[in-house]
Amino acid sequence: MKYIFPICLIGLIVTASSCKKEDPDPTPEETGYTIPTTYAFTNVDHTGQTQRIAMLDELSSYMNTGKISGTVLDAQKMKDMYANAGNPFSDATLNGSGKQLKNKTYAADQSLFDSYFDNLALASQSTVAGSNGVAGVVASSSDASKTYLLDANGIEYNQLIRKGLMGAIFYYQATSYYLENIVTDDNNTVTSGEGTAMEHHWDEAFGYFGVPVDFPTNTSDAAYWGSYSNQRDAVLGSNKTMMDAFLKGRAAISNKDYTSRDEAVTTLREMWERICVGSAIHYLNSVKLNLANDGVRCHELSECLGFIYSLKYNVDRKITDSQITDVLNHIGTNLYNVTATDLDNARDLLSTIYGLDDIKNIL
């Protein structure tokens, strides 16, 4: 049996086919109110989510500098950016925002991400090219201009952190905090600029999806989960499903239609999870095409691992803790040693769990 990654042993407490025929949008005659076609509601504020996305942008930019051979990364600098301590950002508004990434990360995994920063900084201290058993920068064998900073087992911590925080903050906060607690939120007292608590928390969940108000007509500014929804949309039909559900739920809350709100919550959780697992399967397929290319293989597998780990953060998830462990076991801990059979086994297990067998090869 292969060794299991430490992350799957920590914090696993947050206990489909693609082409379902979509129901037509409800009409005003059916609902008694109009659902807008863009996120144009009154009293919308998700500034905190926008700021955290910008913080992850800056953190990612800094981590990316490590892929240039000879660039040593500072673990404390990354931890300061994670906790917004000591004015770490070039954007002064972020420094003074009172927001941070760390305190919104799934609590049991905050120290894990701190350890990832240490691992990334340690790998950057290597003075030789990376290879199996040796940390360092590895170039793509097909395009030497593309380089990746890997540890001795081929883990690209840059990607593990980036995709992992997408799951441990954005996905977790939206699906397992805001949408989970929305039923008990006050929906009568209006705060100017924010609406009711229920409206505000719905808007904050929307903010973590990372899309413009006119998504999916406009996909150019989609970031993080919004971007991956767009990348999987041709197969999953995720863009319209997600945006329609956010619009339906927000309109329903403003009109105290809690049946429609709860339907939207179910849709959002299910499709967001499919975007996550669909992205993991996508990378498993892609890695098979780059199996002999150490740099690209390890880069894409590190992204894949981030999505697999993220599956645990949805409180209403379809996959179990033991099934996540089984998937990770197929991949193993040394990404230099992964075989095509390992990748097929991991992909097939995920596709079976999620009922995606009919589209697993085209994700």
Side-chain angles (χ1 to χ4, degrees):
M1 177 180 293
K2 294 182 177 179
Y3 177 77
I4 302 169
F5 280 88
I7 189 170
C8 67
L9 299 176
I10 301 174
L12 288 174
I13 59 98
V14 185
T15 20
S17 169
S18 65
C19 299
K20 289 191 294 185
K21 186 175 181 180
E22 293 180 355
D23 295 329
D25 295 336
T27 64
E29 290 75 18
E30 294 171 325
T31 61
Y33 53 87
T34 299
I35 300 175
T37 56
T38 67
Y39 210 84
F41 300 97
T42 58
N43 290 321
V44 172
D45 178 23
H46 49 75
T47 304
Q49 288 62 45
T50 303
Q51 290 173 325
R52 290 187 183 89
I53 286 174
M55 289 176 181
L56 186 53
D57 282 343
E58 278 212 34
L59 175 59
S60 296
S61 294
Y62 177 70
M63 293 190 296
N64 267 333
T65 63
K67 67 183 182 181
I68 300 172
S69 183
T71 301
V72 177
L73 297 174
D74 184 339
Q76 189 58 52
K77 179 178 176 66
M78 291 183 279
K79 292 176 183 177
D80 286 345
M81 297 177 85
Y82 183 42
N84 194 9
N87 299 319
F89 298 106
S90 62
D91 183 345
T93 61
L94 298 181
N95 294 329
S97 66
K99 310 295 183 184
Q100 58 172 278
L101 295 170
K102 186 171 185 176
N103 69 356
K104 292 298 180 181
T105 302
Y106 175 61
D109 286 348
Q110 291 177 12
S111 60
L112 181 69
F113 283 97
D114 278 332
S115 73
Y116 285 175
F117 295 130
D118 290 331
N119 293 342
L120 177 58
L122 181 62
S124 75
Q125 295 173 15
S126 174
T127 58
V128 298
S131 61
N132 192 354
V134 179
V137 173
V138 176
S140 165
S141 59
S142 59
D143 181 355
S145 69
K146 295 181 178 178
T147 56
Y148 313 94
L149 175 60
L150 310 178
D151 80 348
N153 291 318
I155 302 294
E156 188 183 23
Y157 277 97
N158 177 358
Q159 288 300 328
L160 201 57
I161 293 167
R162 182 179 168 91
K163 302 303 184 294
L165 290 179
M166 282 174 56
I169 302 175
F170 305 161
Y171 183 51
Y172 165 67
Q173 288 287 332
T175 63
S176 300
Y177 182 73
Y178 291 125
L179 298 185
E180 175 68 7
N181 296 312
I182 203 114
V183 295
T184 59
D185 284 337
D186 173 72
N187 196 27
N188 293 304
T189 304
V190 176
T191 299
S192 179
E194 292 187 353
T196 66
M198 189 180 293
E199 289 173 327
H200 184 50
H201 290 159
W202 189 271
D203 295 338
E204 292 186 304
F206 172 72
Y208 277 131
F209 189 49
V211 299
V213 297
D214 54 349
F215 186 79
T217 300
N218 170 24
T219 60
S220 60
D221 295 325
Y224 297 101
W225 287 109
S227 174
Y228 281 95
S229 173
N230 196 42
Q231 292 176 50
R232 305 283 88 77
D233 182 58
V235 179
L236 297 179
S238 47
N239 286 356
K240 187 177 188 317
T241 299
M242 290 292 289
M243 192 62 179
D244 282 357
F246 272 119
L247 296 172
K248 174 182 176 178
R250 182 55 155 84
I253 289 170
S254 297
N255 288 278
K256 295 182 168 52
D257 172 6
Y258 299 127
T259 298
S260 295
R261 176 204 61 190
D262 293 345
E263 290 172 351
V265 167
T266 299
T267 299
L268 288 170
R269 282 176 167 164
E270 289 180 352
M271 182 51 80
W272 206 325
E273 188 176 22
R274 287 164 66 83
I275 295 168
C276 188
V277 71
S279 296
I281 291 174
H282 165 78
Y283 283 114
L284 289 167
N285 285 329
S286 183
V287 168
K288 287 178 63 180
L289 303 176
N290 297 289
L291 205 53
N293 188 328
D294 285 347
V296 174
R297 182 192 63 245
C298 293
H299 165 71
E300 292 189 332
L301 267 178
S302 297
E303 292 188 272
C304 176
L305 290 173
F307 283 111
I308 293 171
Y309 295 151
S310 293
L311 290 170
K312 71 179 182 178
Y313 296 118
N314 185 333
V315 72
D316 198 29
R317 62 197 164 97
K318 195 177 184 68
I319 195 168
T320 67
D321 296 351
S322 63
Q323 287 171 328
I324 291 175
T325 299
D326 290 342
V327 173
L328 293 171
N329 272 336
H330 284 307
I331 297 172
T333 57
N334 188 327
L335 304 188
Y336 283 100
N337 296 334
V338 171
T339 68
T341 300
D342 295 332
L343 299 171
D344 283 342
N345 287 338
R347 180 200 59 186
D348 292 350
L349 180 53
L350 286 172
S351 69
T352 298
I353 292 168
Y354 284 94
L356 300 174
D357 285 342
D358 55 337
I359 57 171
K360 66 182 180 183
N361 291 313
I362 59 173
L363 276 165

